[in-house]
Amino acid sequence: MSAADRDRPARPVRILHVSHTGHRGGAELALARLLAARPSWTAGLCCPPAGDAFDGLAAYGVTLDPRLPQLPVGGTRSRSPMLAARYLTSLRAAAGALRGSALFGAADVIHANTAAAAIISALANRGRSVPLVVHLRDLVTPESMGRFGYAAFTRLALPHVAGVIANSQTTLASAAGRLPAGARRVVLQSPSGLRERVTQPHVRDQVRAVGMVGRLQRWKGQHVFLRAFAAVFRGTDVRACLAGAPLFDEAAYEQELRDLVVELGIAGQVDFLGHVDDVPAFVDSVDVLVHASVRPEPLGQTVLQGLARAKPLVATEGGGPSEWIRSGANGLLVPPDRPDALAAALRKLADSRETRKELAAGAAATPGILSDAECARAHAAFFQVFAPATGSSLTERR
């Protein structure tokens, strides 16, 4: 290195974030929150033009390049060879589009936000020495990713990663046997829209509202929640509040839920709120928060949101939620896909303000929950590992 190079101020690391969709899913909202937290790197984002998950990020200094084609819906789970072939063709087309981006050519590090984005990025990055960091937000299993999605991800993407960020120990363990020996790995909490924590819980005398936050899709278990709610609260003035909207081909499930509340006799007690921007405010508005996924959840952002706001919480055991909740201390864990077990937990909370107070206090004392700004700093520390040896750095932004 020359003396001039040594004296030249280091520029921020240029990180290109790749998202396979611009629609509002959990992974996309987590990335948007990360980038809105004003990270210390120079951020670019390549994604498809449709969707509004990343609207407004330009105000935070993020350069957007919406050039990626939209992938076919259902390609990862299809048993149709024709649809799988069409999906693979779309992945290759997206890789070609990514290679044509000026952001791609200038990046010091590529960060793939999802499994599909990882396949696109790995295909585009072949023959280059730019490190690829992949975010593991789903369990790396055929059940979670779909048979074709799992095969494509584990064969086309994971062998080429320099590092992985997992949202829970459970998620990381699901990929352990598929990662290159030299790949760096870390477990980092995903940003959950948390600005500050509640340290002094407020627990009302009676339960008036029970809430659930999450995209309306079957495996999230809104139907389980509604059956449990009906078993405990049907015919009372207690309300069930569902925050979340369907995406892609999930509108049929929303209609199924609307039909179910009529069948259960609780149509007048259920509020379908659609997507909610201010999740902390929604969590504060309910007396009990529910997480009801029917299979192990990789992270369970609802769980973090409930704990951070010191809310009495019931969650499905297994996966990420079991890493955060000590049942009976800072929440209650119930078996998955068991409306009767969830109903018993809701009844226990409805019948005892003292139990709700104890769980709320335990939630407030839960260690390790990070604000979005703290999440950004933790991500910066990991990305620093892959920064070029000279000429760039990640420094904390004041």
Side-chain angles (χ1 to χ4, degrees), residues 58-214:
Y60 296 96
V62 180
T63 302
L64 272 71
D65 185 351
R67 68 170 54 223
L68 297 188
Q70 191 71 46
L71 300 177
V73 174
T76 60
R77 297 183 176 277
S78 174
R79 295 183 178 275
S80 164
M82 184 176 298
L83 183 55
R86 180 182 167 212
Y87 190 78
L88 183 58
T89 299
S90 296
L91 289 170
R92 288 173 173 154
L98 182 60
R99 277 195 298 270
S101 171
L103 296 175
F104 181 77
D108 298 312
V109 179
I110 298 170
H111 168 232
N113 192 50
T114 60
I119 299 170
I120 293 167
S121 300
L123 291 173
N125 203 40
R126 284 184 176 175
R128 302 168 79 240
S129 58
V130 178
L132 171 61
V133 176
V134 170
H135 224 115
L136 301 179
R137 300 190 186 275
D138 291 311
L139 299 182
V140 185
T141 64
E143 180 185 21
S144 293
M145 295 183 159
R147 183 171 56 89
F148 176 75
Y150 172 79
F153 181 57
T154 55
R155 295 175 186 175
L156 299 177
L158 283 189
H160 306 287
V161 304
V164 295
I165 301 172
N167 58 10
S168 69
Q169 293 289 349
T170 302
T171 303
L172 182 59
S174 72
R178 295 285 189 169
L179 296 176
R184 305 271 189 155
R185 54 203 79 183
V186 69
V187 174
L188 294 178
Q189 176 193 319
S190 296
S192 301
L194 304 179
R195 297 180 294 274
E196 58 185 4
R197 294 188 61 175
V198 170
T199 57
Q200 298 295 326
H202 172 68
V203 178
R204 288 186 284 201
D205 291 339
Q206 293 183 305
V207 171
R208 293 298 182 211
V210 184
M212 186 172 173
V213 183

Side-chain angles (χ1 to χ4, degrees), residues 216 246 250-262 272:
L216 298 185
E250 295 155 355
Y253 180 60
E254 179 183 16
Q255 187 57 52
E256 181 181 326
L257 294 175
R258 292 182 180 275
D259 292 341
L260 179 62
V261 301
V262 174
F272 289 88

Side-chain angles (χ1 to χ4, degrees), residues 189-190 192 194 299-308 324 369:
Q189 176 193 319
S190 296
S192 301
L194 304 179
L299 172 62
Q301 290 193 33
T302 297
V303 170
L304 294 177
Q305 291 157 343
L307 293 173
W324 287 97
I369 300 175

Side-chain angles (χ1 to χ4, degrees), residues 11-18 31-32 34-46 57-58 60-65 103 107-109 111 383 394 397:
R11 62 166 174 79
V13 172
R14 293 175 298 213
I15 299 178
L16 174 59
H17 305 271
V18 182
L31 178 59
L34 179 69
L35 298 181
R38 297 189 179 276
S40 54
W41 58 88
T42 297
L45 172 61
C46 205
L57 285 182
Y60 296 96
V62 180
T63 302
L64 272 71
D65 185 351
L103 296 175
D108 298 312
V109 179
H111 168 232
F383 286 137
L394 283 168
R397 179 173 290 173

